[in-house]
Amino acid sequence: MTDNRNTAPQGLQASITAGIGTFATASCMKWLPPEDTQYWISVCTLLSPVVGYFVAKFFCSIDEPEELTKYKAWLNKDLTNQKKILKDKNVPEDVKKEVRQKYTETTLKLASANQDYSPRGIVVNDPD
């Protein structure tokens, strides 16, 4: 099963198209001379679905699932705490070595968080 998150859902696209079409049509009738109104209404009728599709696709591309956002926030919080430990002069060097390794692992998890996400949640492949 493929996950098409970048494809605009039909309901969202229809709502945006209807809103754009209504606004454009009302604008044409209000601000244009009466002799040009019919021409511009036809143009708006043809262009509003195209504009609606691209607007819906844009909204879908910036929409991120809540679980993925939380996962990234947790990873960023871990990175912040790991940086504090690495900068602390009172922490022994052997502990810092382990924290550096965890820092690298956390950075890699953050870098691949979008790839690891599926609709069922975060999929993590443990080497164990």
Side-chain angles (χ1 to χ4, degrees), residues 28 32-40:
C28 286
L32 292 175
E35 60 272 4
D36 295 337
T37 303
Q38 189 61 38
Y39 169 74
W40 285 108

Side-chain angles (χ1 to χ4, degrees), residues 46-108:
L46 295 173
L47 289 180
S48 62
V50 175
V51 173
Y53 171 77
F54 286 113
V55 170
K57 189 168 181 171
F58 171 73
F59 279 119
C60 288
S61 70
I62 62 171
D63 186 29
E64 185 174 82
E66 184 177 350
E67 297 84 20
L68 181 58
T69 304
K70 286 181 182 178
Y71 180 65
K72 287 180 176 181
W74 290 333
L75 290 174
N76 281 320
K77 188 174 182 178
D78 287 347
L79 285 175
T80 303
N81 290 332
Q82 291 163 357
K83 283 181 188 177
K84 286 179 185 177
I85 292 170
L86 290 173
K87 289 181 181 180
D88 191 350
K89 295 176 183 173
N90 298 323
V91 177
E93 191 58 38
D94 57 331
V95 174
K96 285 186 177 184
K97 183 178 179 181
E98 290 180 30
V99 172
R100 278 189 200 98
Q101 183 180 359
K102 287 290 187 184
Y103 184 85
T104 302
E105 292 172 9
T106 307
T107 304
L108 291 173

Side-chain angles (χ1 to χ4, degrees), residues 23-34 37 41:
F23 175 75
T25 304
S27 298
C28 286
M29 290 192 303
K30 184 175 181 179
W31 291 311
L32 292 175
T37 303
I41 288 175

